[in-house]
Amino acid sequence: MSLPAMAAKHPNLVINQQDVADMKQAIAQPGAFQDAFNATLERVDQGLTQTIEVPVPQDAGGGYTHEKHKSNYQQMYDTGIIYQLTGEQKYAQYVKNMLLQYAKLYPTLPLHPKRKSSNEGKLFWQGLNEAVWLVHTIQAYDFIYDALTPAERNSIETGAIIPVALFLSEQSPRTFNKVHNHGTWATAAVGMSGYVLDKPLWVERALYDLNLAKKGGFMRQLDELFSPDGYYNEGPYYQRYALMPFVTFAKAIEQNEPQRKIFQYRDGILLKAITSSVELSYNKLLFPLNDAINSKGIDTIELVHGIAIAYGQNPDPRLLDIAQQQDNILLTGDGLKVAQGLDKQLRQPYPFVSSLYRDGQQGDHGALVVMRQGGKTDQAMVFKATAQGLGHGHFDKLTWQFYDKGNEIVSDYGAARFLNIEAKFGGGYLPENNSWAKQTIAHNTLVVDEQSHFNGKLKTANQHHPKLAFYASQQDLTIASASIDTAYDDVAFARTLALVNIKQRNAVIGIDIMRVSANKPHQYDLPVHYQGQLIDTNFERQASLNQLSALGQHNGYQHLWLLATANLATLNTVNPLAKVTWLNDNGRFYTLSTLVNANSVQNSREKMLFTQLGANDPNMNLRQQQAFIHRVNATNHTFVSVIEPHGEYNPSKEYTLGATSMVAELTHHQQAELEAIEIRFSDDQQYLLAINHSSDTVTERTQSVININGQQYQFNGRAQLFGPISTIQTNESNNSK
Amino acid sequence: MSLPAMAAKHPNLVINQQDVADMKQAIAQPGAFQDAFNATLERVDQGLTQTIEVPVPQDAGGGYTHEKHKSNYQQMYDTGIIYQLTGEQKYAQYVKNMLLQYAKLYPTLPLHPKRKSSNEGKLFWQGLNEAVWLVHTIQAYDFIYDALTPAERNSIETGAIIPVALFLSEQSPRTFNKVHNHGTWATAAVGMSGYVLDKPLWVERALYDLNLAKKGGFMRQLDELFSPDGYYNEGPYYQRYALMPFVTFAKAIEQNEPQRKIFQYRDGILLKAITSSVELSYNKLLFPLNDAINSKGIDTIELVHGIAIAYGQNPDPRLLDIAQQQDNILLTGDGLKVAQGLDKQLRQPYPFVSSLYRDGQQGDHGALVVMRQGGKTDQAMVFKATAQGLGHGHFDKLTWQFYDKGNEIVSDYGAARFLNIEAKFGGGYLPENNSWAKQTIAHNTLVVDEQSHFNGKLKTANQHHPKLAFYASQQDLTIASASIDTAYDDVAFARTLALVNIKQRNAVIGIDIMRVSANKPHQYDLPVHYQGQLIDTNFERQASLNQLSALGQHNGYQHLWLLATANLATLNTVNPLAKVTWLNDNGRFYTLSTLVNANSVQNSREKMLFTQLGANDPNMNLRQQQAFIHRVNATNHTFVSVIEPHGEYNPSKEYTLGATSMVAELTHHQQAELEAIEIRFSDDQQYLLAINHSSDTVTERTQSVININGQQYQFNGRAQLFGPISTIQTNESNNSK
């Protein structure tokens, strides 16, 4: 198959000739685009003063030759763009000279001396880096193509481009065909090279796998690596990383073969992947789920490219809201469109709303649920009912997070890693990432008998996933429910989370119902990893004063210091409620109120444990995260909790308001597939959340009736909040029976 | 003595009639002043809808009647201003009605049922609050004076103003005459009342004490409570609180008796107190020295008033820089001048520079030294060589703090207190404030034999102070030295701190020399309380893995968990250097490099201890502050350390630079009164800081010569940095001898 005439134009990958013309105009005028150009120009000019160095590969990731080849490809790319925008030969010459050196070196190279066991490279220890090199280098080559003589092109292609492309494809078939981020980079590199070198077979292979059998390749990756909602199963941190080769190659495909309509493919899956990446964030930081560095934000370079490319496809002014927060103008045609959109003040607020992101290729491997109330720095609740997420996944089925007033309140640890800090285990994942961060106890979900889900075995974990029972969202109430019975042999658990705006109280609360069932008794731990300073509990705690011991010995428990214990049997009222209040840096108080099993008065094994991370951490690799853990011994048990933001602590202005929780009583009702939580506040206002768990189809027209205290509550759909409820009415109903 | 005719005008305390006319004009135009007016108007209108409540006093601080009388005086003040600015009678009526109720209630009141043992009140448990009430109320009365009938004035004065003023003066002579913040409020209240009621005797008493004997009174407070540099001995947190009655009464004096030239008094001490309050801050937060809430900023209301009043006296455009950061427009004549200055863009940057603030009435009770390099969020070093500071002072002689890139890096704990959070010990100072926060080990200074300075006895501590040996500041080098020999029976210590800009390295470092001398051996602990995550040490640490124990039993040691220990004898090189590196939230690394006593190889009792706060803290009142403590057993010992900011950690952009310290070697030379520190960096560049400790007068013309490694270093003044030093030259000098 021959390519259309467009292929003969250069550049024509991510940037085309019209883009160059538009950008040349833009850089002549003062503004953000000119500033971005000047910044890159300065960097590029600085690079021109230094001797070109293309060293024989020796070092692993982070080492000298590795970093040099990385900075080389970046420099070639930037210098190539500057050549296009200025027309000055010295820039083309710089890129040419470097490429010629690569053309001389590459054919001589064996496999890298420090190569990894799988996905090997030559320039780099990993083929992954080689592919990233080629994605940049082929664009640089495309930029200077017209400045080269045919002989120079021949040298560069023969010595560098073709050998690298063949190495990444024919000579690395497993990686090339892999439906995985490594495969995406490889296919992107080879496919883009195919466009520039006019090798249509390379493009076909990149799209459909080495043998064109469609068992791998870019299209298959688009099919499998994203759920129908654009969710990438390894989680948000890796999703944004994986996005880069996807959007880059897609843009090149769109430029060269628009008839493929790649951005419409699979119902616009690429654009969904971009926007969901942005939405899996709070106050500009990505949700730190699975292996993730918790300071990674939506301004990460991959999302800058993603947003620009998405805007180029469809100039939705809400994308400009994200672009503005990213504050990073790209020197591309799409980057220019974004800059112009911002200059013209077209920006509209990006809607951060409650959303469901199904997991799995068919969307039936659980889901990530994001609940929001108010504005983008008001309340958000994350409910992770997803599949494992492969090697970077954590053993954290049905865990949750809570955000409010700009901060993480109930938190996810993310990964134990100090990126690129040599002294911290070479800058890679620390041993504590396995021994702590992946373990279930590090998350806000059920731990049975101090064992992690799936016994901490990745292979088992990859084979199972939770079942999303339902998700429903209205203006003031979002609710979801999911369950899993494969995380433990004898234990099944189902969690229902709801984010509720109680308008009459000008208050938002979160409700958490964790139902655990088994055939024999177990120890159930339900942690809450909180951010802030502990203020109060409504029960006494026995603190370890002079000595601390680790809470346990395995599966993450060995890393927890036990600061204090509380015997919840001391709360001997009818519906005992254990309350823990903490104060976050955002100046707001948070109270978690949780039902205590009334039987535990006799049982007296129900406890609240207060812990701090740091035991068995000889290298001080872990942060001093505090948590409280609700521990129950039972066969079947339902944990019912409410998280309640309240009050304000303003020491600078010297006032404190509302430091005390107003949740006075919780009552839980279960009637077949209907469930209700009654909440009485300390001013005697009462509310009731009614829930329909039916496994039948439930729509907004489905009616249910639940009878509580002689009062009938009729509601539509999955859930409804009633209240304030008059207690007098209830008594009258009782009396009139 | 009769007052000039001006006294008959109303208002004429902090705001006069011209101010009112100017403000009336300003609120008619859009802008910050109009916005401030509207905000107050809204609050005041809201207050008018509520029933006036003047309850019989019952509750202590924080309780209902206490808070009600507080909000009453604030409401009267605000409503009075709104009356002046709008002329609408309803506002005057509101204030009148409330005052009439007070006039009815007050004469019936006994001493407050919950009164404190000293400084009693009637409306409030403390006379202090009564004085604050009168300061606000007399201004409100002054605002509505012209709207009252003579009979109404008589009722209010007879029933409320006069009884309160007499209670605060004649009936509370000890407090009225006290040279203390409580006395300032009392004298301000009575003096201002004297102006409004045309009672010149009250003014005289307020200024010169109850008997006009000048043993107390406002003028004596001005003489004694501030050092000649405007430093208030209780420290920055209480200085800004004390400022309020000072600037308020002074403004009233200036309006009514300008011939007193109160703002020129004692060489402009009031204006110095205001500006030094602002300068004792970093990145908008006050230095948290002594008892202090560490989130208190320069935007605190007292400093808003202080800056406005200072600007009214002398419209220095640099004050507008502070006003802008405070973002709080006052509805006063001075507040209007500030708003207009900001509108006209007159603002100039406020100079945050190295400064010396002497302590003590004569300025000879030690000093607070503030060293700065670069801009206001670059480096700052605080050296606290002050006196005790009375009851709110800490046992922290010669402690230091370090700030950089916007953050506190080597920190001061401040107070253990959660202001106004009932659950935290009623919101007052916690027991841990005494058992931890005041103790020496909680600070970054010498602790001998695990005893606090002055054995933790306030009375003893109040009687002694360090001696400031010298302070010298040039553009790239600030240095100070101080000593004390009364903190311990057998131990004297002297500390020299320097902040050095090494321009050729584009680097700023801090140098710390702590010289300890005694007659017999002791255990010397030198802690560094650091902010951030520990990254690395150049020595092995033995971590407590499964169990933690408290470091000691008394004087704050009982609150420290011992995380790890390092035996520094393992560093067996010629000039062994122990290095600790941590990473702050600001994305920068910090390394403290400290000389290890070469003898300790045999001695092997020299250790580094790694601690975390939290032991013996049953109520979780303490923050999890980490520290490392250099422990030496010796008779005489000199600690020599360098703190070095370096590198950048940017996980969001995924790069790390300069994570490793470049300080390779330190050598300390002591030659009589000359001292030198040689620093060799890992790229072999060498520098030398030469210091002249002579107790004679040393000026910029004083020459000294120190001979190091056969090289002569001639320098002027107290200190000079030499370098980079050529090592070849040194060898040649050696050879040519």
Side-chain angles (χ1 to χ4, degrees):
Chain A
M1 182 202 308
S2 71
L3 292 166
M6 272 189 289
K9 289 191 284 186
H10 299 271
N12 202 47
L13 288 171
V14 175
I15 298 170
N16 62 28
Q17 290 177 344
Q18 183 60 50
D19 294 330
V20 173
D22 295 337
M23 287 196 280
K24 274 173 153 168
Q25 267 201 332
I27 62 181
Q29 292 145 54
F33 202 79
Q34 190 192 65
D35 294 340
F37 168 75
N38 284 331
T40 302
L41 179 66
E42 192 178 323
R43 259 197 335 269
V44 164
D45 281 340
Q46 175 67 22
L48 253 56
T49 66
Q50 282 146 22
T51 318
I52 289 172
E53 206 193 325
V54 176
V56 172
Q58 275 182 10
D59 304 308
Y64 182 76
T65 63
H66 180 99
E67 293 301 315
K68 178 51 77 176
H69 288 299
K70 272 181 77 172
S71 65
N72 277 352
Y73 69 56
Q74 188 65 50
Q75 200 68 19
M76 283 194 279
Y77 175 89
D78 287 339
T79 311
I81 295 229
I82 297 298
Y83 167 66
Q84 281 287 328
L85 296 179
T86 62
E88 291 185 43
Q89 285 302 317
K90 60 179 175 175
Y91 300 113
Q93 207 150 9
Y94 176 89
V95 180
K96 174 186 78 182
N97 289 338
M98 192 180 281
L99 283 171
L100 286 171
Q101 286 206 37
Y102 273 103
K104 219 186 281 182
L105 174 69
Y106 200 80
T108 72
L109 294 181
L111 291 174
H112 194 285
K114 299 263 172 68
R115 61 187 174 280
K116 290 195 144 189
S117 54
S118 66
N119 191 222
E120 312 152 320
K122 289 186 177 180
L123 284 173
F124 298 91
W125 68 332
Q126 277 191 117
L128 169 64
N129 306 107
E130 211 105 339
V132 178
W133 181 94
L134 184 53
V135 166
H136 286 76
T137 305
I138 193 60
Q139 293 182 74
Y141 181 64
D142 194 30
F143 292 145
I144 67 162
Y145 191 91
D146 290 327
L148 300 169
T149 67
E152 288 165 340
R153 288 179 203 141
N154 187 56
S155 294
I156 291 169
E157 292 181 20
T158 321
I161 315 270
I162 294 171
V164 177
L166 293 178
F167 174 73
L168 290 174
S169 52
E170 294 177 2
Q171 293 152 35
S172 307
R174 260 190 42 171
T175 300
F176 190 80
N177 286 339
K178 203 170 178 187
V179 179
H180 183 277
N181 172 249
H182 293 179
T184 318
W185 278 106
T187 51
V190 171
M192 289 165 73
S193 302
Y195 284 128
V196 177
L197 270 56
D198 192 15
K199 290 184 181 301
L201 178 61
W202 287 12
V203 177
E204 291 290 308
R205 284 172 162 178
L207 294 173
Y208 298 117
D209 96 19
L210 208 48
N211 305 313
L212 311 184
K214 302 190 185 181
K215 293 199 170 126
F218 191 71
M219 304 311 291
R220 183 104 184 209
Q221 291 157 18
L222 277 175
D223 285 333
E224 287 192 16
L225 289 176
F226 297 100
S227 80
D229 300 320
Y231 180 78
Y232 186 82
N233 76 341
E234 290 194 271
Y237 185 76
Y238 279 91
Q239 176 162 334
R240 59 87 217 168
Y241 179 70
L243 218 53
M244 190 71 168
F246 273 114
V247 302
T248 307
F249 189 24
K251 181 75 190 188
I253 294 168
E254 181 71 12
Q255 296 268 42
N256 287 278
E257 297 185 274
Q259 67 278 12
R260 291 194 186 271
K261 295 197 200 302
I262 191 71
F263 284 101
Q264 279 79 52
Y265 181 70
R266 202 185 162 202
D267 194 33
I269 193 65
L270 270 163
L271 297 171
K272 286 181 188 170
I274 295 168
T275 53
S276 68
S277 292
V278 164
E279 291 159 12
L280 297 179
S281 72
Y282 179 88
N283 198 15
K284 303 186 232 178
L285 296 178
L286 299 184
F287 300 143
L289 304 169
N290 291 338
D291 279 347
I293 303 288
N294 63 5
S295 51
K296 189 55 121 168
I298 59 173
D299 62 345
T300 186
I301 190 63
E302 301 88 351
L303 290 186
V304 176
H305 281 270
I307 290 293
I309 284 170
Y311 190 75
Q313 289 305 303
N314 171 27
D316 183 337
R318 296 172 300 180
L319 295 173
L320 294 176
D321 188 25
I322 304 305
Q324 184 181 63
Q325 295 174 55
Q326 292 172 330
D327 193 27
N328 189 346
I329 302 292
L330 296 175
L331 296 182
T332 64
D334 292 332
L336 176 58
K337 291 187 177 101
V338 167
Q340 289 170 334
L342 287 172
D343 283 341
K344 291 187 203 139
Q345 319 246 15
L346 301 178
R347 180 174 73 91
Q348 291 292 316
Y350 191 97
F352 284 91
V353 295
S354 294
S355 301
L356 176 70
Y357 303 89
R358 292 166 293 167
D359 195 4
Q361 190 183 351
Q362 315 299 337
D364 59 355
H365 279 197
L368 188 71
V369 176
V370 181
M371 309 188 188
R372 299 194 197 259
Q373 267 297 330
K376 64 185 186 188
T377 57
D378 287 321
Q379 297 81 25
M381 197 181 253
V382 179
F383 182 20
K384 187 168 184 281
T386 59
Q388 182 64 19
L390 305 180
H392 286 300
H394 286 191
F395 299 98
D396 61 358
K397 291 291 152 279
L398 307 194
T399 187
W400 70 299
Q401 271 174 288
F402 187 74
Y403 290 91
D404 181 37
K405 211 182 169 210
N407 278 11
E408 207 185 12
I409 307 300
V410 173
S411 64
D412 191 300
Y413 192 89
R417 181 177 191 184
F418 292 87
L419 199 60
N420 292 336
I421 297 184
E422 189 68 31
K424 286 291 189 185
F425 210 66
Y429 287 102
L430 297 155
E432 290 80 8
N433 197 52
N434 283 325
S435 64
W436 167 254
K438 287 185 176 175
Q439 299 300 324
T440 308
I441 191 61
H443 302 84
N444 306 302
T445 190
L446 183 74
V447 190
V448 177
D449 298 330
E450 298 181 34
Q451 304 284 317
S452 286
H453 297 167
F454 310 110
N455 215 10
K457 297 278 182 283
L458 178 58
K459 206 165 172 184
T460 316
N462 275 335
Q463 292 166 356
H464 303 288
H465 56 82
K467 176 168 151 38
L468 180 76
F470 61 80
Y471 163 85
S473 185
Q474 318 150 19
Q475 188 178 0
D476 296 312
L477 167 58
T478 307
I479 186 166
S481 189
S483 65
I484 186 162
D485 61 6
T486 49
Y488 294 105
D489 282 337
D490 182 57
V491 178
F493 52 107
R495 192 168 212 167
T496 304
L497 281 167
L499 189 63
V500 186
N501 180 18
I502 309 181
K503 280 187 297 195
Q504 305 90 325
R505 299 189 65 80
N506 198 26
V508 175
I509 60 171
I511 296 175
D512 174 25
I513 310 164
M514 169 76 90
R515 185 155 26 111
V516 191
S517 50
N519 294 310
K520 43 192 214 294
H522 295 276
Q523 175 185 280
Y524 299 132
D525 283 345
L526 192 58
V528 174
H529 295 271
Y530 66 93
Q531 294 294 100
Q533 177 89 25
L534 192 85
I535 294 296
D536 203 15
T537 55
N538 69 340
F539 48 85
E540 283 178 16
R541 310 183 297 271
Q542 277 68 53
S544 303
L545 295 179
N546 261 301
Q547 282 240 313
L548 283 187
S549 297
L551 180 57
Q553 297 188 327
H554 308 287
N555 305 324
Y557 282 76
Q558 72 274 27
H559 289 300
L560 292 169
W561 295 121
L562 180 59
L563 297 179
T565 308
N567 176 359
L568 294 179
T570 60
L571 288 163
N572 52 9
T573 56
V574 174
N575 264 345
L577 214 58
K579 295 157 82 67
V580 181
T581 302
W582 68 97
L583 171 65
N584 185 270
D585 279 355
N586 65 8
R588 186 167 283 174
F589 296 92
Y590 297 87
T591 297
L592 193 104
S593 304
T594 190
L595 274 181
V596 170
N597 191 336
N599 288 336
S600 76
V601 174
Q602 297 88 10
N603 182 335
S604 72
R605 287 175 71 198
E606 189 164 350
K607 297 189 194 308
M608 198 70 86
L609 312 172
F610 292 81
T611 63
Q612 185 168 292
L613 193 56
N616 286 288
D617 180 22
N619 298 312
M620 292 174 78
N621 284 338
L622 297 171
R623 304 190 298 266
Q624 300 111 64
Q625 178 65 47
Q626 292 191 328
F628 53 91
I629 303 172
H630 191 174
R631 172 168 286 182
V632 164
N633 288 275
T635 303
N636 301 312
H637 185 77
T638 302
F639 294 89
V640 179
S641 315
V642 164
I643 182 162
E644 170 202 2
H646 56 93
E648 187 184 353
Y649 175 63
N650 195 327
S652 186
K653 295 201 155 95
E654 297 190 27
Y655 65 82
T656 300
L657 303 171
T660 309
S661 158
M662 292 194 73
V663 171
E665 193 173 356
L666 293 179
T667 316
H668 178 230
H669 303 269
Q670 186 83 43
Q671 296 171 14
E673 48 190 33
L674 299 181
E675 189 173 32
I677 304 285
E678 281 181 274
I679 308 170
R680 182 172 63 78
F681 290 94
S682 53
D683 56 8
D684 272 344
Q685 264 198 7
Q686 295 194 114
Y687 292 81
L688 185 138
L689 178 70
I691 308 169
N692 178 356
H693 281 276
S694 168
S695 50
D696 297 337
T697 302
V698 171
T699 70
E700 282 314 299
R701 286 190 302 277
T702 309
Q703 272 196 0
S704 319
V705 181
I706 189 170
N707 195 308
I708 306 287
N709 301 332
Q711 179 95 347
Q712 305 257 43
Y713 295 92
Q714 181 177 292
F715 63 102
N716 288 2
R718 281 295 179 188
Q720 187 169 323
L721 181 76
F722 293 88
I725 298 161
S726 165
T727 46
I728 297 167
Q729 245 175 292
T730 307
N731 289 341
E732 281 183 350
S733 311
N734 277 336
N735 290 340
S736 61
K737 262 188 8 153
Chain B
M1 182 199 312
S2 71
L3 293 167
M6 272 190 287
K9 290 190 284 185
H10 299 272
N12 202 47
L13 287 172
V14 175
I15 297 171
N16 62 27
Q17 290 176 346
Q18 184 59 50
D19 294 329
V20 173
D22 295 338
M23 287 195 280
K24 273 172 150 167
Q25 265 201 333
I27 63 180
Q29 292 144 54
F33 202 79
Q34 187 191 68
D35 295 340
F37 168 75
N38 284 329
T40 302
L41 180 66
E42 191 178 324
R43 262 200 328 273
V44 164
D45 281 340
Q46 175 67 21
L48 254 56
T49 67
Q50 282 147 20
T51 319
I52 291 173
E53 206 194 325
V54 177
V56 172
Q58 279 183 5
D59 304 309
Y64 181 77
T65 63
H66 179 100
E67 292 302 316
K68 179 50 79 174
H69 288 299
K70 271 181 79 172
S71 64
N72 277 351
Y73 68 58
Q74 188 64 51
Q75 200 69 17
M76 283 194 278
Y77 175 88
D78 288 339
T79 310
I81 295 230
I82 295 300
Y83 167 65
Q84 281 286 328
L85 294 180
T86 62
E88 290 184 45
Q89 283 303 316
K90 60 179 177 175
Y91 300 114
Q93 208 151 7
Y94 176 90
V95 181
K96 174 186 77 179
N97 289 337
M98 191 179 281
L99 282 172
L100 287 171
Q101 287 204 35
Y102 272 104
K104 221 188 281 185
L105 173 71
Y106 201 81
T108 72
L109 294 181
L111 291 175
H112 194 285
K114 298 263 172 68
R115 62 189 174 278
K116 289 196 142 186
S117 54
S118 66
N119 191 222
E120 313 152 319
K122 287 186 178 180
L123 285 172
F124 298 92
W125 68 332
Q126 277 190 118
L128 170 64
N129 307 108
E130 211 106 340
V132 179
W133 182 94
L134 184 53
V135 166
H136 286 76
T137 304
I138 192 62
Q139 293 183 74
Y141 180 63
D142 194 30
F143 291 143
I144 68 162
Y145 191 91
D146 289 329
L148 301 169
T149 68
E152 287 165 342
R153 288 179 204 142
N154 186 56
S155 295
I156 290 169
E157 291 181 21
T158 319
I161 315 269
I162 294 172
V164 177
L166 292 179
F167 174 73
L168 290 174
S169 51
E170 293 176 3
Q171 293 151 33
S172 306
R174 261 191 42 174
T175 300
F176 190 80
N177 286 340
K178 201 169 176 188
V179 179
H180 184 275
N181 172 250
H182 293 179
T184 317
W185 278 106
T187 52
V190 171
M192 288 164 75
S193 302
Y195 283 129
V196 178
L197 269 56
D198 192 17
K199 291 185 180 299
L201 178 60
W202 286 12
V203 177
E204 291 288 310
R205 284 171 162 178
L207 293 173
Y208 297 118
D209 96 20
L210 208 49
N211 304 313
L212 310 185
K214 300 189 185 182
K215 291 194 172 134
F218 191 71
M219 302 312 292
R220 182 102 185 212
Q221 291 158 17
L222 277 175
D223 284 334
E224 287 194 15
L225 290 175
F226 297 101
S227 80
D229 300 320
Y231 181 78
Y232 185 81
N233 76 342
E234 292 195 88
Y237 185 76
Y238 279 91
Q239 175 161 336
R240 56 90 217 166
Y241 179 70
L243 218 52
M244 191 70 168
F246 273 114
V247 301
T248 307
F249 188 24
K251 181 76 190 187
I253 295 167
E254 180 70 13
Q255 298 268 41
N256 286 278
E257 297 185 275
Q259 68 277 11
R260 292 194 185 270
K261 294 196 201 304
I262 190 71
F263 284 101
Q264 278 80 53
Y265 182 72
R266 200 185 164 200
D267 196 31
I269 193 66
L270 271 164
L271 298 170
K272 285 182 189 171
I274 295 167
T275 53
S276 68
S277 293
V278 164
E279 291 160 13
L280 297 179
S281 73
Y282 179 88
N283 199 14
K284 303 186 230 178
L285 295 179
L286 299 183
F287 299 143
L289 303 169
N290 291 339
D291 278 347
I293 303 290
N294 63 6
S295 52
K296 190 56 126 168
I298 59 173
D299 62 345
T300 186
I301 190 63
E302 301 88 353
L303 289 186
V304 175
H305 281 271
I307 288 294
I309 285 171
Y311 190 74
Q313 289 304 304
N314 172 24
D316 183 337
R318 296 172 301 179
L319 294 172
L320 294 175
D321 188 26
I322 303 305
Q324 185 181 61
Q325 293 175 56
Q326 293 172 331
D327 192 28
N328 188 348
I329 302 292
L330 295 176
L331 297 182
T332 64
D334 292 332
L336 175 59
K337 292 187 177 98
V338 166
Q340 289 170 335
L342 288 172
D343 283 342
K344 290 187 202 139
Q345 318 245 15
L346 300 178
R347 177 176 76 90
Q348 291 292 316
Y350 191 97
F352 284 90
V353 295
S354 295
S355 301
L356 176 69
Y357 304 88
R358 291 164 295 165
D359 195 1
Q361 191 186 349
Q362 315 298 337
D364 59 355
H365 278 197
L368 188 71
V369 177
V370 181
M371 309 186 188
R372 298 193 197 260
Q373 268 296 332
K376 64 185 183 188
T377 57
D378 288 320
Q379 296 81 27
M381 197 182 252
V382 180
F383 182 19
K384 187 168 185 278
T386 59
Q388 181 64 18
L390 306 181
H392 287 300
H394 287 192
F395 299 99
D396 61 0
K397 291 291 150 281
L398 306 195
T399 188
W400 70 300
Q401 270 174 289
F402 187 73
Y403 292 90
D404 181 37
K405 211 181 172 212
N407 279 11
E408 206 185 12
I409 308 300
V410 173
S411 63
D412 190 302
Y413 193 88
R417 181 177 192 184
F418 292 87
L419 199 59
N420 292 335
I421 297 184
E422 189 68 29
K424 285 292 190 185
F425 210 67
Y429 286 102
L430 297 156
E432 290 79 7
N433 196 53
N434 283 325
S435 64
W436 166 253
K438 286 185 175 175
Q439 300 299 324
T440 309
I441 192 63
H443 302 84
N444 307 301
T445 191
L446 184 73
V447 190
V448 177
D449 299 330
E450 299 181 31
Q451 305 284 318
S452 286
H453 297 168
F454 308 110
N455 215 9
K457 298 277 182 284
L458 179 57
K459 205 164 172 188
T460 315
N462 277 334
Q463 293 166 354
H464 302 289
H465 58 80
K467 174 170 155 33
L468 179 76
F470 62 81
Y471 164 85
S473 184
Q474 319 150 18
Q475 188 178 358
D476 295 312
L477 167 58
T478 306
I479 186 167
S481 189
S483 66
I484 187 162
D485 61 7
T486 49
Y488 295 105
D489 282 337
D490 183 54
V491 179
F493 52 106
R495 192 168 213 166
T496 304
L497 282 167
L499 188 63
V500 186
N501 181 18
I502 310 181
K503 280 187 296 195
Q504 305 89 325
R505 299 189 67 80
N506 198 25
V508 174
I509 60 171
I511 297 174
D512 173 26
I513 309 163
M514 171 78 90
R515 185 156 25 112
V516 190
S517 49
N519 294 310
K520 44 192 212 292
H522 296 275
Q523 174 184 280
Y524 299 131
D525 282 346
L526 191 58
V528 174
H529 295 270
Y530 64 93
Q531 294 293 99
Q533 178 89 23
L534 192 85
I535 296 295
D536 203 14
T537 55
N538 69 338
F539 47 84
E540 282 176 15
R541 312 185 296 272
Q542 277 66 55
S544 301
L545 295 180
N546 262 301
Q547 282 240 310
L548 283 187
S549 297
L551 180 56
Q553 298 188 327
H554 308 287
N555 305 324
Y557 280 76
Q558 72 275 26
H559 289 299
L560 292 169
W561 295 121
L562 180 58
L563 298 179
T565 309
N567 176 359
L568 294 178
T570 60
L571 287 163
N572 49 9
T573 55
V574 173
N575 263 344
L577 213 56
K579 295 158 81 66
V580 181
T581 301
W582 68 97
L583 171 65
N584 185 271
D585 280 355
N586 66 8
R588 187 167 282 172
F589 296 93
Y590 296 86
T591 298
L592 193 104
S593 303
T594 189
L595 274 181
V596 171
N597 190 336
N599 288 336
S600 77
V601 173
Q602 296 87 10
N603 182 333
S604 71
R605 288 176 69 198
E606 189 165 349
K607 297 189 195 310
M608 199 68 87
L609 312 172
F610 292 80
T611 63
Q612 184 168 291
L613 193 56
N616 286 290
D617 181 22
N619 298 311
M620 291 174 79
N621 286 336
L622 297 172
R623 303 190 299 266
Q624 299 111 64
Q625 178 65 50
Q626 290 190 329
F628 53 91
I629 302 172
H630 191 175
R631 173 169 284 184
V632 164
N633 289 273
T635 304
N636 301 312
H637 185 79
T638 302
F639 294 89
V640 179
S641 315
V642 165
I643 182 163
E644 172 202 3
H646 56 93
E648 186 184 352
Y649 176 63
N650 195 327
S652 186
K653 294 202 155 93
E654 298 191 24
Y655 65 81
T656 300
L657 303 170
T660 308
S661 158
M662 291 193 73
V663 170
E665 194 174 353
L666 292 179
T667 316
H668 177 231
H669 303 269
Q670 187 83 44
Q671 296 172 13
E673 50 192 31
L674 299 180
E675 187 172 34
I677 305 285
E678 282 181 274
I679 308 170
R680 182 171 64 76
F681 290 94
S682 52
D683 56 9
D684 272 344
Q685 265 199 5
Q686 295 194 114
Y687 291 80
L688 185 138
L689 178 70
I691 307 169
N692 177 354
H693 281 275
S694 168
S695 51
D696 297 336
T697 303
V698 171
T699 71
E700 283 313 299
R701 283 189 304 279
T702 310
Q703 271 194 3
S704 318
V705 181
I706 188 169
N707 194 311
I708 307 286
N709 301 331
Q711 178 95 345
Q712 306 255 42
Y713 296 90
Q714 180 176 294
F715 63 103
N716 287 3
R718 281 293 179 189
Q720 189 169 322
L721 181 76
F722 294 88
I725 298 161
S726 165
T727 46
I728 297 167
Q729 244 176 293
T730 308
N731 290 342
E732 282 182 348
S733 312
N734 277 338
N735 291 342
S736 61
K737 267 199 352 162

